Amino acid sequence: MIDRNEAERNTDTLKVHFAKLLSSEEEHGDIGIASFKSVYDTLMPVQKEKMRSIVAERFEELYESGSIICLAVSYKDPVIDFINNDDSGSTNYKLWNEYSKEYDRINQVQNRMSKDIAACFDGIALPATIGGVDDDVRHVRDYFEMVISHRVVAENAGVGWRGKNQLVIHDRFSCALRFSSVIVSIPFVQGTKRESKCGNCTACEDACTFIKNRESLPDYRENCRKYILFLKTKGIGKDVCGKCIKACYQESLMKNQFNLSR
Ligand code: SF4
Ligand code: SF4
């Protein structure tokens, strides 16, 4: 049973601490807290196994009353413009790679912040991404067993809603966010899933044929993975594409409410 007063105090302390970390890193973002149970119950079977191996003997206690903190750090303008930019008449892959570098930089920020928060709140940090696994991945399915989905954490924390592009859409930052997570057992006030606000918007589907045809493709995420491998042959250094992020931020029905910092 969660002690509400203690949970509120811990949540306030966490939010103040996160704001200081964001400020010291000169970043913007948001924070949310999901119940461990809601995340665990939503994970794919292979990710459930991964979660059990990460938390080991703490599983029962965490499943009963634990939380997972979602740390969200946003991209800054104008980096989203750099994705698939063809202002010069053809796709500017060099510029696109600047977005890829920013992805990598924010991941490093996330890894520092999640480690810090884990140390302060006796938690277990789950880094923004895992690197150096390309040789082990032959199909997108191979990737699933290696990670806990930060999107599932963010969604269950109520940081945003799950968009048609399968990313988590924040009220201010759209899906131009990177996530990391921290598993904790002390009491916090937990958020809940939100209803989708996508409505009649189709901007991400218009930008990506794989998203548009996701119902008829065997697994559109595999098409996405292969497209990202193609982009690497064009000089994009990290495993990113980002066209569905750009579409949501710049073309969606909600584009006027989204606002990244500079
Ligand atoms: S990252 Fe690119 S290929 Fe993958 S779903 Fe988004 S737009 Fe499509
Ligand atoms: S582009 Fe539109 S439909 Fe796609 S995730 Fe964003 S708001 Fe939803």
Side-chain angles (χ1 to χ4, degrees), residues 153-164:
V153 179
E155 185 183 21
N156 281 283
V159 166
W161 72 89
R162 186 66 79 129
K164 290 180 189 173

Side-chain angles (χ1 to χ4, degrees), residues 21-252:
L21 285 178
L22 277 181
S23 172
S24 68
E25 295 277 4
E26 298 184 359
E27 302 292 342
H28 291 86
D30 201 358
I31 190 165
I33 300 155
S35 85
F36 182 95
K37 181 179 186 307
S38 68
V39 173
Y40 182 81
D41 287 347
T42 319
L43 291 173
M44 297 173 181
V46 288
Q47 294 184 330
K48 284 190 164 96
E49 277 180 42
K50 176 80 180 168
M51 182 66 98
R52 279 181 175 266
S53 76
I54 291 170
V55 302
E57 72 277 0
R58 291 175 73 178
F59 179 79
E60 296 301 333
E61 172 208 4
L62 286 164
Y63 191 75
E64 175 70 25
S65 59
S67 300
I68 310 187
I69 301 167
C70 166
L71 309 179
V73 174
S74 69
Y75 287 91
K76 292 174 186 164
D77 269 335
V79 75
I80 300 300
D81 285 344
F82 301 165
I83 298 165
N84 196 29
N85 186 295
D86 59 1
D87 289 351
S88 58
S90 59
T91 307
N92 188 335
Y93 291 104
K94 195 159 178 246
L95 198 56
W96 202 336
N97 193 41
E98 293 303 310
Y99 162 72
S100 161
K101 289 181 191 167
E102 190 62 3
Y103 161 92
D104 190 40
R105 190 193 67 76
I106 297 177
N107 284 344
Q108 306 311 318
V109 170
Q110 277 284 18
N111 292 346
R112 285 194 292 277
M113 289 179 35
S114 55
K115 258 192 201 168
D116 180 295
I117 287 185
C120 289
F121 295 89
D122 189 26
I124 302 168
L126 303 174
T129 189
I130 50 167
V133 297
D134 284 1
D135 290 348
D136 300 329
V137 175
R138 295 276 177 273
H139 188 281
V140 72
R141 276 192 307 268
D142 300 334
Y143 188 67
F144 298 152
E145 66 190 45
M146 299 177 186
V147 292
I148 304 300
S149 168
H150 295 301
R151 290 182 206 172
V152 170
V153 179
E155 185 183 21
N156 281 283
V159 166
W161 72 89
R162 186 66 79 129
K164 290 180 189 173
N165 59 8
Q166 291 307 307
L167 300 173
V168 173
I169 318 296
H170 186 273
D171 284 326
R172 174 181 166 194
F173 303 117
S174 173
C175 42
L177 291 163
R178 297 292 307 150
F179 296 114
S180 66
S181 307
V182 182
I183 303 167
V184 279
S185 53
I186 63 170
F188 285 102
V189 178
Q190 298 166 340
T192 51
K193 260 189 187 176
R194 295 175 52 187
E195 289 294 315
S196 171
K197 289 190 191 173
C198 287
N200 294 327
C201 182
T202 59
C204 56
E205 293 172 324
D206 298 341
C208 176
T209 181
F210 310 138
I211 296 176
K212 183 178 247 162
N213 296 307
R214 62 193 180 283
E215 302 298 336
S216 54
L217 288 166
D219 189 341
Y220 85 96
R221 295 167 295 188
E222 177 61 2
N223 300 82
C224 173
R225 185 185 77 87
K226 286 183 174 159
Y227 183 67
I228 286 170
L229 288 178
F230 159 76
L231 289 179
K232 287 189 120 172
T233 69
K234 296 290 186 182
I236 309 298
K238 298 293 169 187
D239 295 339
V240 292
C241 156
K243 289 194 293 180
C244 49
I245 296 176
K246 183 175 185 174
C248 190
Y249 180 55
Q250 295 188 346
E251 305 295 336
S252 71

Side-chain angles (χ1 to χ4, degrees), residues 10-26:
N10 289 340
T11 304
D12 289 346
T13 305
L14 171 65
K15 286 184 174 174
V16 169
H17 189 77
F18 178 66
K20 280 185 190 158
L21 285 178
L22 277 181
S23 172
S24 68
E25 295 277 4
E26 298 184 359

